[in-house]
Amino acid sequence: MKEVNIENGRRVTIDIVKANIFAIVLMVVSGIVLLVPYILIWHDQWSRETVEEFFDTFPWRGSLFVILMAVGIVVHELIHGITWACFAQSGWQSISFGVMWKMATPYCHCNEPMHPRPYIVAALMPLIVLGIIPAVICLIIGSFYLLLWSIVFIAAAGGDIWMAWLMTKENPNCTVLDHPSEAGFYVFD
């Protein structure tokens, strides 16, 4: 693994509070964007009773949903790790996991520098696997629960989307290193 002196890099980070606000906005927008076609396609199934049934059975279904969300968050970070490990020369040895306890935000960290493209792929992979693919499936099969799942995990990728967007502004030939303790990265031109 190549050692990198972070003092030679330019630090690019995002504010976790602003990222969480962005995630809430993303949840509302993705909810509208997905709910409209869901209702148009599945209007026979969709009714006030569907929503009432969900909330009437919420204590047990809600508990299951919360457990699945917690598992999904772990899987979200694992997807980052698997994808980064595929691009890192040292594989899993370059990957670590943790939680920013102050904001109750789990994270995956790759301590090996790479070019922006693989970084972006790893940043967006949980969005694709846990958000977009389930959203497409929910529109095909009509699952209200999968609709909720996809909305939550599209929102959960809010910080990742923001980071990937920032990364697109960088020179594609530069090297980037994931920031070890903040949501961000170092850029080495």
Side-chain angles (χ1 to χ4, degrees):
M1 182 169 48
K2 181 181 170 186
E3 287 293 320
V4 176
N5 182 356
I6 59 174
E7 292 175 7
N8 295 332
R10 181 173 35 86
R11 184 175 160 262
V12 178
T13 60
I14 61 174
D15 181 298
I16 290 293
V17 173
K18 288 180 182 175
N20 287 338
I21 292 168
F22 176 67
I24 292 167
V25 170
L26 190 58
M27 181 180 286
V28 171
V29 170
S30 64
I32 293 167
V33 166
L34 291 173
L35 195 56
V36 168
Y38 178 85
I39 292 171
L40 291 173
I41 295 168
W42 296 99
H43 59 86
D44 293 345
Q45 274 182 225
W46 176 260
S47 66
R48 186 171 163 214
E49 289 82 31
T50 306
V51 177
E52 287 176 357
E53 176 193 345
F54 176 77
F55 286 106
D56 286 346
T57 59
F58 191 76
W60 78 269
R61 284 191 179 169
S63 298
L64 178 61
F65 197 71
V66 169
I67 291 167
L68 288 174
M69 290 297 115
V71 170
I73 290 167
V74 171
V75 171
H76 174 112
E77 297 306 327
L78 189 59
I79 291 168
H80 283 311
I82 290 168
T83 311
W84 270 322
C86 289
F87 292 114
Q89 285 181 324
S90 298
W92 276 107
Q93 294 174 346
S94 297
I95 308 302
S96 60
F97 300 90
V99 177
M100 289 184 228
W101 290 109
K102 188 175 180 182
M103 295 302 295
T105 304
Y107 67 88
C108 175
H109 170 65
C110 180
N111 62 13
E112 188 172 308
M114 62 183 62
H115 290 289
R117 184 166 294 175
Y119 188 99
I120 291 169
V121 169
L124 296 179
M125 194 58 69
L127 167 69
I128 295 165
V129 173
L130 298 174
I132 294 172
I133 291 173
V136 171
I137 294 170
C138 95
L139 293 175
I140 293 169
I141 68 172
S143 170
F144 179 69
Y145 300 103
L146 200 52
L147 174 75
L148 294 177
W149 172 276
S150 61
I151 292 168
V152 167
F153 281 99
I154 288 170
D160 301 329
I161 294 167
W162 193 346
M163 295 268 287
W165 178 72
L166 289 174
M167 186 71 61
T168 63
K169 295 179 175 188
E170 302 300 335
N171 178 344
N173 297 318
C174 74
T175 304
V176 295
L177 177 64
D178 196 36
H179 196 290
S181 60
E182 294 182 51
F185 50 88
Y186 290 98
V187 179
F188 302 92
D189 295 312

